[in-house]
Amino acid sequence: MHIVSARNITKSFDGNTVLDKVSIEVPTAGIYGLLGPNGAGKTTFLRILNKILIPDSGQLFFKDEPYTLVNLHSIGYLPEERGLYKKMKVGEQCLYLARLKGMSGHEAKQKLNDWFEKFNLQSWWTKRVEELSKGMQQKVQFITTIMHDPDLLILDEPFSGFDPVNASLIKTELLNYRQMGKTIILSTHNMNSVEELCDEITLIDHGKVLLQGNVQMIKKSCSKNIIEICCRGNIPDQLLPTIDGCRVLHSVTNSESFTIVINVIDGEHGNRLLQLYAEKFQVLSFKILLPSMNEIFIDAVKAGNKSSDYGTE
Amino acid sequence: MAQNKILLILQREYLVRVRKKSFIIMTILGPFLFAALFILPSYLLSLSNDELKTLAVIDSTGVFTGIIPETRTLRVRYLRNTSVEEVRAGFDTSGYYALLYIAPSIHNVPSAIQLMSYKQPNLAVSMHIANAIEKEIEKQKLKTYNIDNLDHILQSVKTQVQVRSIKWTRDGKEKSGHAGVAMGVAYLCGLLTYIFILLYCTQIMRGVIEEKSSRIIEVIVSSVKPFQLMAGKIIGIALAGLTQFALWIMLTIVVLMVYKHFAMPSVTEVLQQQPAQNLFSNSTLQPQQMITSSDFQDIFSAVVAIDFLVIGCSFLFYFLFGYLVYGSLFAAVGSMADTETDTQQFMMPVTIPLGIALLVMLSTIYNPDSGLSFWFSIIPLTSPVVMMARIPYGVPYWQVTLSAVLLIASFFFFTWLSARIYKTGILMYGKKAGIREFFRWIKS
């Protein structure tokens, strides 16, 4: 089952096409990453998922049914630009936002108590939001996003503005939430967090989907056939074993071992090379180096720009 | 569910405002300010009356000596064999309030009288002097005609006239009116409607900008429709306004009653002794003695004759719908700006009709049935203020109905229009909206 299916979503503002036939299928349970450079259309897409904006064309489905306003109660949204009523008391504000999401006052109070305890915020219940530090406000905001126990969390740049301690706190919560069978869609520039968290991603730029799918699969498919062999001993003076077509990219020597990074033609080629090394040295490790999401991101965006440049000429 | 959310929003808007310190302070201070408006003038009058002033007079003609009547607060000293310079030199120690100099040329040159002092002489004093001397000169001029029994004739022709306006109603009854009272009430009604519309509508605008600039707006509209948010906010603030009203009216009555009870027992006595029904029978009473109480009764009966129920209900209606029409417009203006200073250019088109209404209202209180007053009390954006200024004078039913229907219709229209601007505007940041955006947002 897909918790969200967006099909051929198109949206333009003042003649600028911000989203061009974007289709995304988000499977239930898991963390889905929406990647893309600034101005790619991520926020617009997330706003459409929240019914804040209405697409010019395309269909939206929630749990395989047409999307209605009632579904908003099953969604928690953390916008990129955070904000709360500054003059309002923290607890009151959380209660208000929870009730807007359809919770009863009583139920909301219980849930909030749990969350406040978890984040160590109990003593702040009667303080005004403006008295809180920025990090505190972010925590409160996160609670208001998740407190109604939504099936789907939509987070726009969730880690921007958090210090490392709070960011890891949020990360842990997100992983817990996935464990509970919930779905999270997050947009981010931070590729490290993508590798840590996301199961699937969609990369968009200029309103178009550039790359989509399971993170591991994408990495494999983007593999440039680079292997890394680590052996005991010193780099020998004699020539290293080699096969036609192999190219040593670089080597590193430690006191007891050396590591060599080699570009091979394909997997078969790598295996043969490993055999040659194993005959001469004691191989400590052999790795096929997959590109980082960061590299994939940059390459895909560059390639996308190139093709769109050709397109316009 | 939709109503439920509007209810939640208006609850918050209401509570946030009612709990504000400024709200509580204004609610408590308001009645004292209103009461001060009534009490202060009479209090100030009594203050200035208590001070005893001595006026020195140098009468170089000799014929005006003794003709300026002394009053409770004014003594007159006629100085002989002295000059203006001498008096001036010793003025500070003399304790005189002012020096009046009457030049010999007085009979030919009316400006030959000078009132001199180190302070600006009181207007009432100089009028009192001018009055007395005018009368004396008139008297002297009349004397030159050699009429017998002049004093007696003058005494007998002395007349005092009061115009009491009686308003006919169509069912054949007569209503006693008082032009001054009706005008005062009309002015008050128009002005209050204007002030309250502006006051509470500005609060709507501030609220919208606050939500926008604190960026909470995106969280809210991910739970409710923008229209629900706008509607909840407008209604919530209206309720806060009405609460403040009700408290003001109650507290003002309490303050006035307390003041009456302790400081003005004479007023209540007068009212009890001479009920309004006596009004029509006392025209034969001696005018001189009755003058103050009759005046007072006139005003009192006119105030009683005003239909406070009609005025109250119309005020409620015109304030509420005027507020609703302008409220949605102010919400739209707020949504188009990031900060309050940005609102200036959009405020203009919205505040101009309100300003025009105020200007027209100032003429309406003199000419409630003029063409100008009629049209502006029918046109929706100005009708709340102008019609309220006409109501105390009585307005034909069809006119009130027409104006009310148009106002309600325009409420629907402007709410629809504003909602369109609002829902786009609240998500726009940084981009300064111009007229072109404005129309595009309406179309979108």
Side-chain angles (χ1 to χ4, degrees):
Chain A
M1 191 173 73
H2 290 106
I3 191 153
V4 168
S5 309
R7 294 186 194 140
N8 292 317
I9 300 291
T10 300
K11 176 82 188 170
S12 52
F13 294 110
D14 306 346
N16 289 332
T17 307
V18 180
L19 293 174
D20 188 6
K21 292 188 178 158
V22 172
S23 297
I24 292 178
E25 306 272 323
V26 181
T28 306
I31 301 182
Y32 197 99
L34 187 62
L35 320 181
N38 290 325
K42 292 175 302 223
T43 297
T44 304
F45 185 75
L46 295 184
R47 282 179 175 175
I48 286 173
L49 287 189
N50 279 294
K51 286 260 167 195
I52 293 172
L53 294 175
I54 297 160
D56 299 339
S57 65
Q59 291 107 36
L60 276 178
F61 297 91
F62 190 82
K63 296 183 179 169
D64 301 332
E65 309 248 338
Y67 210 107
T68 64
L69 280 175
V70 184
N71 297 138
L72 288 178
H73 287 176
S74 318
I75 297 180
Y77 176 46
L78 180 72
E80 182 177 7
E81 298 280 358
R82 317 288 154 71
L84 296 164
Y85 287 109
K86 294 198 172 61
K87 307 264 178 206
M88 224 174 155
K89 303 228 166 88
V90 174
E92 227 167 75
Q93 176 144 233
C94 291
L95 274 178
Y96 172 63
L97 292 173
R99 293 180 70 195
L100 282 185
K101 279 288 185 192
M103 284 178 105
S104 74
H106 181 70
E107 191 190 353
K109 202 153 197 176
Q110 274 184 339
K111 276 270 178 210
L112 279 171
N113 277 334
D114 294 346
W115 277 105
F116 271 56
E117 209 168 304
K118 200 176 208 169
F119 279 21
N120 234 336
L121 287 169
Q122 298 102 313
S123 56
W124 296 89
W125 183 272
T126 53
K127 292 269 195 314
R128 285 164 169 225
V129 170
E130 60 189 352
E131 296 172 59
L132 267 60
S133 71
K134 194 136 192 231
M136 289 278 208
Q137 289 187 22
Q138 299 257 29
K139 279 193 201 169
V140 172
Q141 185 120 37
F142 182 76
I143 292 174
T144 64
T145 312
I146 203 169
M147 65 192 163
H148 56 294
D149 209 15
D151 291 334
L152 174 62
L153 267 186
I154 298 179
L155 313 173
D156 200 350
E157 294 289 347
F159 305 110
S160 73
F162 276 107
D163 62 50
V165 177
N166 283 334
S168 82
L169 186 76
I170 300 295
K171 252 177 218 170
T172 318
E173 282 310 320
L174 293 185
L175 291 172
N176 279 344
Y177 213 60
R178 172 170 63 179
Q179 209 82 82
M180 290 159 64
K182 309 280 188 173
T183 315
I184 299 159
I185 299 179
L186 55 87
S187 87
T188 183
H189 302 295
N190 185 338
M191 292 305 138
N192 288 336
S193 58
V194 172
E195 301 207 26
E196 266 177 77
L197 296 171
C198 294
D199 306 307
E200 292 200 27
I201 59 135
T202 288
L203 173 62
I204 59 172
D205 190 23
H206 294 108
K208 288 202 167 87
V209 174
L210 295 182
L211 208 61
Q212 202 165 48
N214 182 288
V215 172
Q216 292 311 317
M217 305 281 267
I218 288 177
K219 283 181 128 186
K220 269 181 202 150
S221 74
C222 291
S223 164
K224 287 174 187 159
N225 294 317
I226 294 170
I227 57 168
E228 183 198 84
I229 303 172
C230 182
C231 305
R232 188 178 292 280
N234 294 325
I235 278 202
D237 297 333
Q238 80 250 43
L239 280 172
L240 285 166
T242 181
I243 319 173
D244 279 350
C246 287
R247 201 154 48 84
V248 174
L249 294 177
H250 61 263
S251 58
V252 181
T253 314
N254 291 330
S255 54
E256 290 179 2
S257 66
F258 64 95
T259 307
I260 294 178
V261 178
I262 307 164
N263 195 344
V264 293
I265 295 166
D266 53 27
E268 167 63 16
H269 218 167
N271 283 345
R272 272 169 50 209
L273 203 59
L274 175 62
Q275 277 173 3
L276 291 178
Y277 268 83
E279 285 164 16
K280 286 199 167 179
F281 310 104
Q282 187 189 350
V283 175
L284 293 176
S285 73
F286 173 81
K287 270 190 227 161
I288 297 172
L289 288 189
L290 288 178
S292 69
M293 278 314 290
N294 208 29
E295 287 171 72
I296 295 172
F297 180 94
I298 291 168
D299 287 349
V301 170
K302 270 187 189 159
N305 282 346
K306 227 178 247 169
S307 67
S308 68
D309 284 349
Y310 288 132
T312 52
E313 269 168 8
Chain B
M1 191 191 83
Q3 281 74 23
N4 198 1
K5 287 194 174 173
I6 293 184
L7 204 67
L8 270 173
I9 292 165
L10 77 85
Q11 226 173 52
R12 190 200 85 89
E13 297 290 339
Y14 178 80
L15 288 177
V16 160
R17 282 186 175 71
V18 172
R19 281 197 219 140
K20 259 190 193 164
K21 272 193 204 103
S22 58
F23 180 91
I24 296 167
I25 291 171
M26 268 313 287
T27 305
I28 295 170
L29 280 186
F32 289 99
L33 292 177
F34 288 138
L37 276 180
F38 294 107
I39 294 166
L40 210 64
S42 68
Y43 176 69
L44 284 180
L45 223 61
S46 69
L47 258 192
S48 59
N49 277 353
D50 286 346
E51 195 190 337
L52 186 71
K53 301 184 185 79
T54 310
L55 179 71
V57 180
I58 299 177
D59 177 13
S60 58
T61 62
V63 291
F64 294 102
T65 305
I67 63 103
I68 298 173
E70 292 195 339
T71 66
R72 199 161 58 81
T73 59
L74 189 70
R75 292 270 157 72
V76 187
R77 294 274 167 277
Y78 296 92
L79 309 177
R80 286 170 206 284
N81 307 326
T82 181
S83 68
V84 173
E85 283 72 31
E86 265 179 66
V87 176
R88 186 176 180 173
F91 194 82
D92 284 335
T93 52
S94 65
Y96 292 137
Y97 172 70
L99 170 66
L100 181 72
Y101 176 69
I102 303 172
S105 56
I106 177 71
H107 288 279
N108 309 318
V109 188
S111 61
I113 309 180
Q114 290 171 318
L115 186 62
M116 293 165 281
S117 177
Y118 284 109
K119 290 175 284 189
Q120 174 65 42
N122 191 322
L123 186 68
V125 171
S126 58
M127 273 170 66
H128 180 74
I129 294 166
N131 231 335
I133 293 177
E134 252 171 43
K135 263 192 193 146
E136 183 59 27
I137 295 175
E138 272 172 24
K139 213 161 137 191
Q140 285 173 13
K141 283 184 179 165
L142 277 171
K143 264 188 186 147
T144 60
Y145 291 99
N146 288 322
I147 303 168
D148 292 334
N149 281 339
L150 183 68
D151 284 349
H152 182 72
I153 293 171
L154 282 179
Q155 198 60 47
S156 64
V157 297
K158 209 171 206 171
T159 328
Q160 194 106 27
V161 174
Q162 282 182 334
V163 177
R164 183 173 300 129
S165 45
I166 306 289
K167 216 171 120 188
W168 289 336
T169 57
R170 291 286 161 208
D171 49 16
K173 284 183 196 148
E174 287 180 353
K175 255 191 196 166
S176 115
H178 190 288
V181 170
M183 204 168 94
V185 173
Y187 178 70
L188 211 65
C189 287
L191 193 69
L192 282 182
T193 316
Y194 170 81
I195 290 175
F196 287 129
I197 287 178
L198 203 59
L199 196 71
Y200 294 112
C201 286
T202 318
Q203 286 199 23
I204 297 178
M205 191 182 76
R206 289 227 182 92
V208 173
I209 293 174
E210 186 208 344
E211 276 166 356
K212 230 187 132 174
S213 62
S214 73
R215 308 269 177 169
I216 189 155
I217 192 87
E218 213 174 329
V219 175
I220 306 272
V221 294
S222 73
S223 305
V224 302
K225 284 191 200 161
F227 180 76
Q228 294 173 333
L229 177 61
M230 188 175 102
K233 183 177 283 298
I234 291 176
I235 300 169
I237 293 176
L239 291 179
L242 290 176
T243 306
Q244 195 162 43
F245 258 177
L247 289 173
W248 272 344
I249 290 172
M250 286 192 304
L251 283 171
T252 305
I253 290 172
V254 169
V255 170
L256 279 177
M257 275 182 19
V258 167
Y259 180 78
K260 247 184 191 171
H261 193 259
F262 288 107
M264 285 170 60
S266 53
V267 174
T268 38
E269 276 164 30
V270 169
L271 292 182
Q272 277 156 7
Q273 283 164 8
Q274 304 195 305
Q277 284 91 327
N278 282 358
L279 193 70
F280 298 102
S281 59
N282 72 10
S283 51
T284 52
L285 293 175
Q286 296 90 326
Q288 285 292 357
Q289 287 157 351
M290 283 309 296
I291 192 101
T292 44
S293 64
S294 148
D295 252 2
F296 191 86
Q297 274 202 353
D298 236 11
I299 292 172
F300 179 71
S301 71
V303 169
V304 168
I306 288 171
D307 202 333
F308 280 105
L309 191 69
V310 168
I311 290 186
C313 291
S314 350
F315 181 74
L316 218 57
F317 174 81
Y318 279 103
F319 162 66
L320 215 57
F321 275 89
Y323 162 85
L324 289 173
V325 168
Y326 278 100
S328 62
L329 286 173
F330 272 79
V333 167
S335 77
M336 291 172 84
D338 289 357
T339 62
E340 221 175 311
T341 39
D342 285 353
T343 56
Q344 302 300 344
Q345 54 166 330
F346 306 114
M347 284 277 279
M348 278 277 277
V350 179
T351 44
I352 280 177
L354 209 52
I356 291 174
L358 186 70
L359 287 178
V360 172
M361 186 274 278
L362 291 178
S363 112
T364 297
I365 58 173
Y366 295 105
N367 288 308
D369 295 318
S370 69
L372 184 80
S373 304
F374 168 73
W375 284 111
F376 280 92
S377 66
I378 299 295
I379 297 170
L381 283 174
T382 54
S383 65
V385 174
V386 179
M387 189 54 106
M388 266 326 289
R390 287 185 66 197
I391 294 246
Y393 292 99
V395 181
Y397 285 122
W398 70 269
Q399 290 185 11
V400 181
T401 314
L402 179 63
S403 143
V405 167
L406 283 177
L407 190 62
I408 294 173
S410 72
F411 156 67
F412 286 111
F413 171 71
F414 282 115
T415 307
W416 170 83
L417 182 82
S418 304
R420 306 206 70 135
I421 299 170
Y422 180 81
K423 75 170 187 211
T424 311
I426 45 174
L427 292 173
M428 292 287 167
Y429 287 99
K431 203 160 99 184
K432 253 208 169 156
I435 291 296
R436 271 178 54 224
E437 269 74 26
F438 179 79
F439 284 110
R440 202 180 293 134
W441 293 0
I442 293 173
K443 272 189 270 166
S444 69

